[in-house]
Amino acid sequence: MLPYNIVTIFSFGNVSLIADLKLGLICKYFFTNGRELSMVMQCKSAIATLATVNLQKLTTFYSQMLGQTPQKHIPNVYAEFQLPGLQLGIFQYKHQNAAEFAAASGKMSLCLEVVDLTDAIACMANLGYPPPGEISTASHGQEIYAYDPDGNRLILHQSS
């Protein structure tokens, strides 16, 4: 029997994602018979991070695009922006780790829901990074792909 402040958020097959109403979300999985799996991780928050060789350039780009300065900033090391529902971190990787980051490309996108897609496109063009394609219609609204100075894909999305 689960404690009274634990609720099931999602179940699929014999695994369930549960949450603790007192502590916030817990990334904890159980078999449906209540037997706990061995891996347990408690999550307090989530930060999406981008690795870069040029922190100053990327920090300047995101500062201008988002209209804010980083909430946390350690020159040549780390910058962090607070977005609605997400913290975006940017770190400058160390040269001894360059091979690890050189191999990574295009596997993740930062999707930003914007108030006005036309204004967002104009902002990107003004920053010197106009989206290369056309606006497409998806099941959730309109979107266009753009790219930051390091080539990270940004999906600019406006709900329908």
Side-chain angles (χ1 to χ4, degrees):
M1 186 71 165
L2 298 174
Y4 71 93
N5 57 331
I6 302 287
V7 294
T8 300
I9 300 298
F10 170 79
S11 291
F12 183 76
N14 65 342
V15 178
S16 297
L17 171 64
I18 64 165
D20 185 318
L21 299 177
K22 286 185 178 178
L23 300 177
L25 181 65
I26 296 180
C27 300
K28 198 174 210 180
Y29 295 87
F30 284 81
F31 288 107
T32 52
N33 66 6
R35 208 168 38 121
E36 189 173 338
L37 292 172
S38 59
M39 184 189 289
V40 175
M41 175 176 52
Q42 294 186 354
C43 302
K44 290 176 63 178
S45 66
I47 303 172
T49 59
L50 302 173
T52 184
V53 69
N54 190 335
L55 180 65
Q56 185 57 48
K57 183 175 184 178
L58 221 51
T59 300
T60 299
F61 171 81
Y62 280 97
S63 291
Q64 292 173 345
M65 186 182 82
L66 300 171
Q68 63 174 276
T69 57
Q71 304 294 317
K72 296 178 184 175
H73 188 240
I74 304 168
N76 300 313
V77 177
Y78 184 76
E80 185 177 290
F81 296 90
Q82 183 63 54
L83 303 173
L86 175 74
Q87 292 170 296
L88 174 63
I90 304 168
F91 68 95
Q92 186 162 312
Y93 58 83
K94 296 177 179 164
H95 292 290
Q96 64 261 33
N97 300 77
E100 174 186 354
F101 292 103
S105 67
K107 303 267 193 269
M108 189 181 105
S109 298
L110 179 60
C111 186
L112 301 171
E113 184 172 4
V114 298
V115 174
D116 186 292
L117 189 56
T118 303
D119 288 349
I121 292 168
C123 175
M124 293 298 294
N126 188 49
L127 291 171
Y129 298 91
E134 300 294 322
I135 295 173
S136 63
T137 301
S139 61
H140 53 271
Q142 292 187 311
E143 66 184 30
I144 193 165
Y145 292 170
Y147 299 87
D148 72 14
D150 277 6
N152 297 302
R153 184 170 65 177
L154 307 174
I155 301 174
L156 307 177
H157 156 74
Q158 182 178 343
S159 293
S160 48

